[in-house]
Amino acid sequence: MSTAIDINKIPALARLVEEVEATKKPRELKRDDRVVAVVSPVTYDSSAKTDLMSFFGSWKDVDTETLKEDIYSDRTRNASNPAINL
């Protein structure tokens, strides 16, 4: 995981972040002619959350014990990928 930087302590960076946030467009940070980093806006897609929420309860009619038995049975039946006993 990356380390967070408090941009309030770096006014020039805070202004850049405000611009990226307002325009919703990433900005490249360059040293000489080479891009060394990109400041990119974070977007929160509400439709993705709605899609995810639609999956809740979709397995409610599945017999989980039978499902687990079938999975373990398939694992031991497959000779090219045998089950590992720990």
Side-chain angles (χ1 to χ4, degrees):
M1 190 72 184
S2 62
T3 304
I5 298 171
D6 183 357
I7 62 170
N8 291 318
K9 297 179 181 179
I10 310 169
L13 184 56
R15 285 190 298 276
L16 176 65
V17 169
E18 287 172 8
E19 177 190 324
V20 168
E21 196 173 32
T23 63
K24 306 285 190 249
K25 294 181 181 179
R27 292 288 304 265
E28 296 177 341
L29 305 180
K30 291 184 174 185
R31 179 179 293 134
D32 300 322
D33 290 331
R34 201 171 117 232
V35 176
V36 294
V38 175
V39 178
S40 183
V42 175
T43 58
Y44 299 98
D45 186 359
S46 62
S47 68
K49 183 177 179 182
T50 303
D51 292 344
L52 179 62
M53 296 295 279
S54 71
F55 286 108
F56 286 120
S58 63
W59 286 53
K60 68 179 183 239
D61 297 326
V62 174
D63 179 357
T64 55
E65 291 306 314
T66 302
L67 176 63
K68 288 191 283 187
E69 289 171 10
D70 290 345
I71 290 170
Y72 290 122
S73 173
D74 286 345
R75 286 182 183 167
T76 57
R77 203 171 2 157
N78 188 347
S80 65
N81 188 13
I84 299 173
N85 296 323
L86 300 176

